[in-house]
Amino acid sequence: MPHSPAPFPAARLRRMRASAALRDLAQENRLTVKDFIWPVFVRDGENMEEPIASMPGVNRLSVDRVVAAAERAAGLGIPAICLFPYTDPALKTSDCAEAWNPENLTNRAIRAIKAGVPEIAVMTDIALDPYSVDGHDGFVVDGEIVNDETVEALVKMALAQAEAGADILGPSDMMDGRIGAIRTALEAGGHRNVTIMSYAAKYASAFYGPFRDAVGASGALKGDKKTYQMNPGNSDEALRLVARDLDEGADMVMVKPGMPYLDICRRVKDTFGVPTYAYQVSGEYAMLRGAALNGWVDGERVMMESLLAFKRAGCDGILTYFAPEAAALMGPAA
Ligand code: PBG
């Protein structure tokens, strides 16, 4: 319990806020570059950087440029980079076979980064949406997003990514039973040290809008994702999902989106005490960046404040599109 202050004026809580030095000494939570996972969008081609209209300052990068980005991130002290592919619409099918093609964009990018910048951890996304003509994270049969058939495909996708050298697999699909199935396949395939960060509490959120533009899934998506992603009205259900994914073999868990769900981050951390992450998603980035570009808020300050809030809420790290900018501002971590 926090100590209750002595009566005024014995206690003046402002004393500890009176100078920068005292504020520093009393600061409870701190952000460092070691808290960051940087999500990047990968596209085909060479020497390509293509802006994303709804995410000013974020580009789709060809594989060679992703390697350069990884090098820059490592130089800034950022521990991990997370890959999302912009898949050529011609490669999207209803069987989503490109998802487990060892030569798909993600798998090529993993190999290229691991060859060029081995010290940075490479995280992936496991879900079918970039490869699906329907824009869904699972297979669609007669209008239903089918669970078990999807899990089989996700396992193939996970193995292809592990074989390419991924360090952290990120199942973002919200199917039931996928963590256990992927963990069993990784163990059987000799990938004992490949970690899984489960998108355990992933909400059906309108804050993913710009991301769907970035990966080219917006036009494709038929309907919504409410039969698999969580209802934003729920909180206890997040704890059940986290417990389930930990039991099935997740090493880390994620809450997504971030800022509107800080209460969930805190509950997860307090309940389980496991490595807990939040994803500051595309719509959060777009809001902060858009307001800053209009001169309505101080961009650097809202960026840093929004990121520090995740630490205060109990997160061990944050997936954020601001990673390189915030890291450059903070300087190297000790
Ligand atoms: C897809 C996936 C999404 C995000 C990460 N993986 C979008 C979705 O579920 O529709 C969102 C990330 C962001 O908005 O920044 N499985």
Side-chain angles (χ1 to χ4, degrees):
M1 275 302 276
H3 181 260
S4 57
F8 176 84
R12 288 181 184 270
L13 292 178
R14 288 184 57 192
R15 280 187 204 120
M16 288 300 289
R17 299 183 213 127
S19 69
L22 286 166
R23 289 192 294 274
D24 269 345
L25 283 175
Q27 183 162 334
E28 297 170 36
N29 298 285
R30 250 171 243 283
L31 186 69
T32 84
V33 302
K34 300 299 178 196
D35 296 316
F36 294 151
I37 298 174
W38 182 23
V40 295
F41 299 105
V42 194
R43 54 154 292 153
D44 243 329
E46 224 174 286
N47 206 18
M48 300 280 296
E49 286 200 18
E50 179 185 22
I52 298 158
S54 50
M55 299 181 74
V58 176
N59 298 304
R60 299 186 191 107
L61 307 175
S62 53
V63 171
D64 54 319
R65 292 290 186 102
V66 167
V67 175
E71 215 166 316
R72 184 167 154 243
L76 288 163
I78 295 170
I81 196 162
C82 182
L83 304 175
F84 292 98
Y86 174 83
T87 304
D88 179 349
L91 295 173
K92 297 188 187 198
T93 55
S94 48
D95 72 358
C96 306
E98 182 66 7
W100 51 92
N101 176 358
E103 295 303 321
N104 73 17
L105 257 184
T106 296
N107 294 329
R108 280 188 277 134
I110 296 168
R111 277 192 225 100
I113 295 171
K114 283 282 124 182
V117 196
E119 67 272 25
I120 202 160
V122 177
M123 176 168 168
T124 61
D125 186 65
I126 299 181
L128 300 180
D129 53 333
Y131 311 100
S132 164
V133 279
D134 303 297
H136 275 289
D137 293 14
F139 292 127
V140 184
V141 178
D142 297 333
E144 185 192 341
I145 289 73
V146 294
N147 192 86
D148 301 14
E149 296 81 348
T150 298
V151 170
E152 283 174 33
L154 299 174
V155 167
K156 288 192 267 183
M157 197 176 170
L159 284 173
Q161 293 173 352
E163 268 145 37
D167 301 286
I168 307 170
L169 304 184
S172 69
D173 53 282
M174 291 294 282
M175 297 298 120
D176 285 323
R178 90 278 202 215
I179 302 296
I182 291 170
R183 177 55 76 206
T184 303
L186 288 174
E187 286 289 321
H191 301 292
R192 295 189 186 138
N193 286 329
V194 172
T195 61
I196 299 176
M197 181 187 294
S198 167
Y199 286 63
K202 177 172 178 179
Y203 288 85
S205 173
F207 285 99
Y208 308 148
F211 172 97
R212 291 178 191 165
D213 294 340
V215 300
S218 311
L221 182 63
K222 300 185 179 105
D224 58 46
K225 300 191 176 185
K226 291 181 185 171
T227 68
Y228 46 107
Q229 299 181 347
M230 280 182 72
N231 180 344
N234 292 357
S235 174
D236 290 345
E237 187 189 4
L239 302 185
R240 297 180 69 199
L241 286 162
V242 167
R244 190 268 316 263
D245 287 0
L246 290 170
D247 284 350
E248 290 186 16
D251 304 286
M252 304 169 254
V253 294
M254 188 205 294
V255 174
K256 180 183 175 201
M259 210 152 71
Y261 296 87
L262 291 178
D263 58 319
I264 307 299
C265 298
R266 171 50 65 197
R267 283 193 83 188
V268 167
K269 189 62 178 180
D270 285 350
T271 306
F272 300 99
V274 299
T276 301
Y277 302 81
Y279 197 144
Q280 183 180 51
V281 301
S282 57
E284 299 175 66
Y285 172 87
M287 280 195 309
L288 297 174
R289 179 70 88 199
L293 287 173
N294 277 291
W296 297 334
V297 295
D298 179 326
E300 280 185 3
R301 290 183 56 207
V302 295
M303 169 177 77
M304 298 311 285
E305 186 178 333
S306 69
L307 293 168
L308 178 59
F310 290 105
K311 298 301 295 291
R312 196 192 59 242
C315 293
D316 295 289
I318 309 133
L319 287 94
T320 175
Y321 301 99
F322 287 122
E325 198 179 329
L329 207 61
M330 283 189 284

